[in-house]
Amino acid sequence: MNLLYCIDENYNVQCYTSIKSQVSNTKSPLRIYIIHEDPDTFSKEFVESFSENKIEILEVIKFQESLLKNFSFLNKKFNNSHMSIATYFRIFIEKHLPNDLGEIVYVDPDVICIKNFENEYYKIFKLMKQDNYVISARTSGYASGNEETFQRLGLKNRKYFNAGVMFIDLELWRKKNIGKNLQSLLYKDNYTLFDQDALNTYFDGEYLELYEHMNYFMDQEEQYEKAVIKYIEESAKLLHYVGASKPWHNDSADSKYSSYYQNYYSELGLSKKHIIKKPIYKQNNIFVKFRNKILSLLKKKS
């Protein structure tokens, strides 16, 4: 299986933890590619020390900053966000990944693997090939109740996907010049969710629907019912910590929901728990409104 992370130094530990969860739940060799702002800060030797010999390829690739034509325009948008400029790296994957690589799964560093998903990996890519889809992603919101957002982005289809887990057909991505087309969309003032808005603007509903258990949204600020926790324990395979509150923040590191992350972190041998002070974000009202609507819809569905 081919996996991709896009990070900067601030997410090295989270990436180690996510990789640890991957190697703990796979049988087949993994090929892991990391597009990094500063590769010298990332320790391949450390990853290899806990990889259980399950990583066939581990490449840490320096991001080509010259590809960002207006770095200051993009970077200023992160002043009040838990995200960083590294979120844009996935737009430029064809410039950094091997040309003979035909498929890959992009994974945010706040995604934890809690069960083996090798069967889904091959099944999803087979379905994508059959129906000529470039990506597979999980829908996180619909137009109903979010008309302002869909009008703002000019979306004609009635759904919006989360880009934290994306199955990507790299052959089609290159053939259709997706990277070049996406780059032309980056520098707009009407985005509140950064490159995820750009991705949705481009694909506009044209993606293979990803199974819920392959990108299960875990929000630290929610109170989940027992039935939901039961579903996670029995069915979820990739657990995604969405939102600004993360399992390593000091105000949520001890919550029961953080245990999925903290358990794998503790196996790294660095310390018992990964805890840092939660930054204070002044999120804009549009972002908060859209996020709350999505979470409300998801809660109703569950």
Side-chain angles (χ1 to χ4, degrees), residues 50-147:
F50 63 74
S51 67
E52 303 175 22
N53 295 318
K54 292 181 181 178
I55 299 179
E56 181 180 321
I57 295 175
L58 177 60
E59 288 193 21
V60 185
I61 305 156
K62 168 69 176 175
F63 178 71
Q64 303 173 36
E65 291 185 5
S66 60
L67 294 171
L68 295 174
K69 303 304 181 184
N70 193 338
F71 182 91
S72 60
F73 173 85
L74 297 176
N75 195 48
K76 70 180 180 181
K77 292 179 173 291
F78 298 105
N79 290 338
N80 295 315
S81 171
H82 65 283
M83 300 169 71
S84 73
I85 200 73
T87 188
Y88 289 107
F89 294 178
R90 55 190 167 185
I91 299 295
F92 303 90
I93 52 178
E94 81 282 359
K95 298 291 186 180
H96 296 84
L97 298 177
N99 291 329
D100 60 350
L101 197 63
E103 64 192 30
I104 203 159
V105 180
Y106 168 80
V107 185
D108 272 348
D110 56 6
V111 172
I112 295 297
C113 179
I114 59 176
K115 293 182 191 66
N116 182 287
F117 67 93
E118 292 175 63
N119 289 338
E120 284 87 349
Y121 179 93
Y122 296 107
K123 181 179 179 180
I124 291 166
F125 277 118
K126 182 178 180 180
L127 291 172
M128 289 170 63
K129 289 286 188 184
Q130 290 174 354
D131 296 327
N132 207 39
Y133 282 114
V134 178
I135 65 169
S136 176
R138 183 186 166 192
T139 297
S140 58
Y142 297 89
S144 177
N146 295 297
E147 287 81 4

Side-chain angles (χ1 to χ4, degrees), residues 35 93 99 133 176 196 220 266 273 299:
I35 302 177
I93 52 178
N99 291 329
Y133 282 114
K176 295 188 175 185
Q196 183 169 277
Q220 293 287 84
S266 66
K273 282 193 175 182
K299 192 172 183 180

Side-chain angles (χ1 to χ4, degrees), residues 205-216:
E206 296 298 320
Y207 55 90
L208 179 68
E209 187 65 43
L210 187 63
Y211 310 124
E212 180 183 37
H213 64 265
M214 291 299 296
N215 183 6
Y216 193 86

Side-chain angles (χ1 to χ4, degrees), residues 227-242:
V228 176
I229 299 300
K230 186 174 185 292
Y231 174 83
I232 293 173
E233 296 291 346
E234 294 179 352
S235 303
K237 299 202 171 182
L238 292 177
L239 195 64
H240 184 189
Y241 288 94
V242 296

Side-chain angles (χ1 to χ4, degrees), residues 142-253:
Y142 297 89
S144 177
N146 295 297
E147 287 81 4
E148 183 278 330
T149 297
F150 279 70
Q151 289 174 6
R152 174 170 51 82
L153 297 178
L155 301 181
K156 295 180 174 62
N157 281 294
R158 310 299 287 172
K159 60 182 185 177
Y160 180 104
F161 69 85
N162 175 277
V165 177
M166 287 193 300
F167 283 64
I168 304 171
D169 184 327
L170 284 171
E171 291 183 7
L172 268 182
W173 181 284
R174 298 187 191 98
K175 185 177 180 180
K176 295 188 175 185
N177 292 316
I178 304 296
K180 183 178 180 180
N181 293 329
L182 283 170
Q183 290 169 48
S184 67
L185 296 174
L186 284 184
Y187 305 97
K188 290 189 174 184
D189 284 321
N190 63 335
Y191 295 155
T192 59
L193 294 177
F194 314 110
D195 64 315
Q196 183 169 277
D197 276 354
L199 285 161
N200 274 277
T201 298
Y202 178 81
F203 287 105
D204 195 5
E206 296 298 320
Y207 55 90
L208 179 68
E209 187 65 43
L210 187 63
Y211 310 124
E212 180 183 37
H213 64 265
M214 291 299 296
N215 183 6
Y216 193 86
F217 304 146
M218 174 63 75
D219 191 293
Q220 293 287 84
E221 297 178 3
E222 286 288 300
Q223 291 296 319
Y224 293 99
E225 298 177 359
K226 289 183 179 180
V228 176
I229 299 300
K230 186 174 185 292
Y231 174 83
I232 293 173
E233 296 291 346
E234 294 179 352
S235 303
K237 299 202 171 182
L238 292 177
L239 195 64
H240 184 189
Y241 288 94
V242 296
S245 291
K246 301 300 182 182
W248 53 85
H249 287 153
N250 58 335
D251 63 348
S252 55

